[in-house]
Amino acid sequence: MDKFAAMHAFVRVVEAKGFAAAAREMGMSRSAINKLVIGLETELGVRLLQRSTRRVSPTATGTAFYQRCLGILADLEEAELALSQAQAEPVGPLRINAPMTFGTMHLGPILAEFMANYPGVQVQLTLADRFVDPLAEGFDLTVRIAKLETAPPRLVAHELTPLPRLLCAAPGYLERHGMPKTVQDLKDHSCLAYGELANRHGWILENAGEEIDINISGAMCSNNGEVLRDAAIQGLGIVLLPRFMVQASLDCDALREIALNYRPTALSLWVMYPTNRHLSTKVQLLTSFLQQRFSD
């Protein structure tokens, strides 16, 4: 049995959630995929998959083995690329994760330009606002908006550009409730928070290196910045978002910036990839491409 082929088949079955879908993606028969996975289970002496008439899902052991397989197969791919001088022209799939709003507003057009330059690359872009572990979920590269002091474990991180954040509210809201003058005034306002309802919400602001954490409350919270921006435009409260998300609304006076004695801490745009992708020509080309595009 070709163990690498079996591991690849197992990974595709887990990700496709079924043998038939995995077989279509790999251009093989369902029986051939099934034979590879059964052979792998037999050799390992464990059950990797729970099979039913409706779906296939990994067992607890299968989930742990799936994550290890991702790293092993990635290392194999990198070794092959290194031996072949990583090919003069990059080809193959490139799995990318990015935040929803930033991906639709800015990253999509840049990726289209990148693909025009490298037509052999097939980009698989997944947009999600939740934290994504590229190692566990099999992404080659992830773009994140965050405040990082050091790179997360087993990841390489490159800062692309600072992303300043602003406090904003609709003119109508400010007319009804007044313009906050200090950060303490925010406690008396409806503040639209990013995150889940069960969490304690706070905003961190700074002045000359001094940070202050303000507890906030309001009528709405969401894990999507566009939802919060639109709620602020409707007069539901004050919102704290990156400038790129609210600039158009500021330009047309749908929102107004709130300038206080303390300002929101800045975030940055980062590109991150697993350390075992450092030899990947596709990852390095896209990283350089993003650094060039966001250098301004």
Side-chain angles (χ1 to χ4, degrees), residues 99-257:
M100 182 70 68
T101 303
F102 184 82
T104 55
M105 291 182 66
H106 296 288
L107 187 60
I110 291 175
L111 288 179
E113 184 181 356
F114 177 81
M115 294 174 69
N117 291 341
Y118 303 101
V121 176
Q122 296 98 45
V123 168
Q124 302 172 12
L125 175 63
T126 300
L127 300 179
D129 287 331
R130 65 180 177 85
F131 173 78
V132 170
D133 182 344
L135 279 165
E137 302 190 38
F139 288 103
D140 298 300
L141 181 145
T142 183
V143 177
R144 287 287 107 188
I145 296 173
K147 183 177 182 180
L148 293 181
E149 301 296 336
T150 59
R154 297 188 295 167
L155 294 179
V156 178
H158 297 282
E159 185 178 12
L160 297 177
T161 185
L163 291 179
R165 295 187 297 167
L166 305 178
L167 289 166
C168 304
Y173 174 87
L174 295 174
E175 290 173 5
R176 293 192 304 272
H177 301 280
M179 176 70 76
K181 302 299 183 183
T182 70
V183 291
Q184 298 299 331
D185 293 341
L186 294 175
K187 296 180 179 180
D188 299 323
H189 283 265
S190 173
C191 296
L192 310 178
Y194 186 93
E196 303 295 335
L197 185 61
N199 294 342
R200 167 188 171 272
H201 294 304
W203 285 342
I204 298 178
L205 299 98
E206 64 180 358
N207 182 5
E210 178 188 357
E211 292 188 349
I212 185 170
D213 191 346
I214 297 294
N215 294 331
I216 61 168
S217 61
M220 184 180 187
C221 66
S222 174
N223 66 346
N224 182 268
E226 287 180 290
V227 170
L228 296 175
R229 180 198 61 199
D230 293 344
I233 291 173
Q234 294 299 317
L236 294 184
I238 299 172
V239 72
L240 172 59
L241 289 173
R243 178 183 288 277
F244 79 86
M245 293 187 63
V246 297
Q247 187 61 59
S249 301
L250 293 170
D251 292 341
C252 68
D253 203 36
L255 291 175
R256 291 181 184 170
E257 182 180 358

